Amino acid sequence: MNTSALIRPAWTPATIALMVVGFMVFWPLGFAMLAYIIWGDRLDGFKRDVNRATDGIFAGCRRGSDKAARWGNGSARTGNVAFDDWREKELERLNEERRKLDEMLTQFDEYARELRRAKDQEEFDRFMANRNKSAPTKTDPSTGTTTTKRGKGSNLLDD
């Protein structure tokens, strides 16, 4: 690290003055300068780590784009006719397998959706049966009919 720089992560008159001015102008600037003074010597390692991480990410992207360009739509020929024919047949076979798997996935999704609907219907029917059993009944002495007494708003049509 260059120790002769005017603004460096250390308690120098310049950094202290900048920190004080930062607090007077806008307090987050003062805190930023204070953080730089205290932890600024770690910035080189942090910068190095960030650069390594981003290089790794972009290297992976570069490898992926190279593969995509090479195997994209089968238009890149290698010069070996037998290999190119075999590769195209294999890619067609794999595309057919993918299409079959996609169809099976669609069928399974429909089946699972129907099972969920049937289960939901069964649970709803069970709830309605239990609800109707637990509702108190009242017999009207003048007509002799039995009615189920429910609270206000228990039936959507009553509101």
Side-chain angles (χ1 to χ4, degrees):
M1 176 176 282
N2 187 2
T3 59
S4 64
L6 182 63
I7 300 173
R8 61 182 185 272
W11 293 99
T12 64
T15 56
I16 293 171
L18 283 173
M19 181 182 62
V20 170
V21 169
F23 275 115
M24 289 187 331
V25 172
F26 186 57
W27 63 269
L29 292 176
F31 277 123
M33 193 62 201
L34 178 64
Y36 177 71
I37 292 169
I38 296 173
W39 296 296
D41 56 340
R42 298 180 191 171
L43 285 179
D44 287 335
F46 175 74
K47 209 165 46 171
R48 197 172 26 257
D49 293 343
V50 168
N51 285 339
R52 279 191 199 130
T54 55
D55 287 346
I57 290 170
F58 289 117
C61 292
R62 228 176 286 119
R63 282 191 302 269
S65 67
D66 291 345
K67 286 181 185 176
R70 202 171 38 233
W71 297 98
N73 55 6
S75 63
R77 306 294 287 185
T78 63
N80 186 330
V81 177
F83 174 75
D84 290 339
D85 290 343
W86 172 82
R87 181 180 67 185
E88 287 191 22
K89 288 177 186 174
E90 286 297 308
L91 289 173
E92 289 173 11
R93 182 183 66 78
L94 290 172
N95 284 335
E96 180 64 24
E97 286 292 319
R98 179 175 298 280
R99 188 189 59 76
K100 287 178 185 177
L101 287 172
D102 288 342
E103 286 177 7
M104 290 169 50
L105 177 64
T106 303
Q107 291 172 353
F108 178 76
D109 286 343
E110 291 172 6
Y111 174 74
R113 190 175 18 258
E114 183 61 29
L115 279 179
R116 282 191 299 272
R117 191 202 61 74
K119 181 182 171 207
D120 290 347
Q121 184 66 45
E122 178 186 335
E123 288 176 357
F124 176 74
D125 291 343
R126 189 176 330 120
F127 166 76
M128 291 303 289
N130 289 340
R131 183 174 175 258
N132 288 337
K133 284 181 195 174
S134 65
T137 58
K138 178 181 173 185
T139 305
D140 188 2
S142 62
T143 60
T145 60
T146 304
T147 59
T148 303
K149 173 95 170 108
R150 294 189 181 136
K152 180 165 176 48
S154 62
N155 189 350
L156 291 176
L157 299 175
D158 289 343
D159 291 338

